[in-house]
Amino acid sequence: MSGQNGQAPAELLSANNITALFDSVDAFLFDCDGVIWKGDKLIDGVRQTLDVLRSKGKKLIFVTNNSRRSRRQYAHKFHSLGVSVSEDEMFSSSFAAAMYLKVNNFPQENKVYVIGGEGILEELRQAGYTGLGGPEDGEKRVQLKSNCLFEHDKNVGAVVVGLDPHINYYKLQYGTLCIRENPGCLFIATNRDAVGHLTDLQEWPGAGCMVAAMCASTEKEPIVVGKPSTFMMEILSKK
């Protein structure tokens, strides 16, 4: 009996079909926060599971919407937890943001303002772009006084918004002015996740909170490059 669109109906996983299913899969994609680790603690059984998959010749790809780190920094985190993962096996939303600019021929002479972490800035540098903002703007303050004009760089051609524990009014104003006043300035979101497993004991507000603030102030919708966007799925399928 066929299911919708002539496809075979879904079967419950059982001892009778698990081997056939496992053998039919060449690559496994894993989320990281809440799946591989919670905060800086590896989840029980992860190391053994990955070892078994590698011993069977399976390709592993680790995908995360958490943009605070670059691929290099995530590979280092895996190693610090006793798991060997290469940079090429990582696919972060920070990397996806840089890749989006690159595949869409974003001019390298244009700058990128970042509301987010060092991971985005590092991936932008690797792709040949100049990033502004990020953690160093976390301590900056605005002057809400009469006749005080907030200046921003007119050469910013894209604003990338990701998870930013140090988001402030300065960053929101800078990003808003770039998007609203710089002709053709792109508004890119690493993801719209409402919450994330940033520590082992509880969930925390996700990048979606920062993106929502920018949507409100600019009255624009972003280009989303992280899971589950079509862009990320297309890039992953090529890997």
Side-chain angles (χ1 to χ4, degrees), residues 188-225:
I188 298 172
T190 59
N191 65 88
R192 302 190 83 157
D193 294 350
V195 296
H197 292 280
L198 304 184
T199 64
D200 58 321
L201 296 181
Q202 60 190 169
E203 291 183 322
W204 294 78
C209 303
M210 294 88 203
V211 173
M214 289 298 296
C215 288
S217 63
T218 62
E219 298 183 306
K220 294 181 182 293
E221 287 297 307
I223 301 162
V224 181
V225 296

Side-chain angles (χ1 to χ4, degrees), residues 51 79 109 131 202 229:
D51 286 345
H79 283 278
E109 62 271 19
Q202 60 190 169
S229 71

Side-chain angles (χ1 to χ4, degrees), residues 17-152:
N17 59 24
I18 182 64
T19 300
L21 176 62
F22 183 83
D23 290 343
S24 71
V25 176
D26 296 321
F28 285 78
L29 273 60
F30 290 91
D31 196 356
C32 293
D33 292 323
V35 176
I36 299 295
W37 54 60
K38 285 189 177 181
D40 291 323
K41 294 179 68 174
L42 198 67
I43 292 174
D44 290 344
V46 164
R47 188 180 294 108
Q48 297 86 338
T49 300
L50 300 181
D51 286 345
V52 168
L53 292 174
R54 289 195 189 281
S55 72
K56 301 294 184 181
K58 303 301 182 181
K59 184 175 183 179
L60 306 182
I61 300 292
F62 300 91
V63 187
T64 179
N65 269 350
N66 190 332
S67 61
R68 292 175 67 195
R69 289 181 170 92
S70 64
R71 291 168 299 154
R72 179 190 63 81
Q73 292 167 326
Y74 271 115
H76 178 76
K77 178 173 181 176
F78 269 101
H79 283 278
S80 73
L81 295 173
V83 180
S84 181
V85 169
S86 71
E87 188 175 320
D88 287 340
E89 292 176 312
M90 279 302 313
F91 200 101
S92 61
S93 61
S94 53
F95 175 61
M99 282 296 294
Y100 181 87
L101 295 173
K102 197 162 189 176
V103 301
N104 285 283
N105 298 314
F106 182 77
Q108 294 206 330
E109 62 271 19
N110 286 3
K111 299 173 186 176
V112 182
Y113 186 73
V114 174
I115 299 176
E118 178 58 35
I120 300 173
L121 290 168
E122 183 170 317
E123 294 292 358
L124 288 172
R125 286 194 296 270
Q126 291 290 330
Y129 297 114
T130 300
L132 308 176
E136 75 173 35
D137 279 1
E139 300 299 321
K140 294 181 179 178
R141 299 292 180 263
V142 296
Q143 297 288 328
L144 296 175
K145 298 188 298 187
S146 228
N147 299 317
C148 180
L149 180 67
F150 189 101
E151 298 287 351
H152 71 285

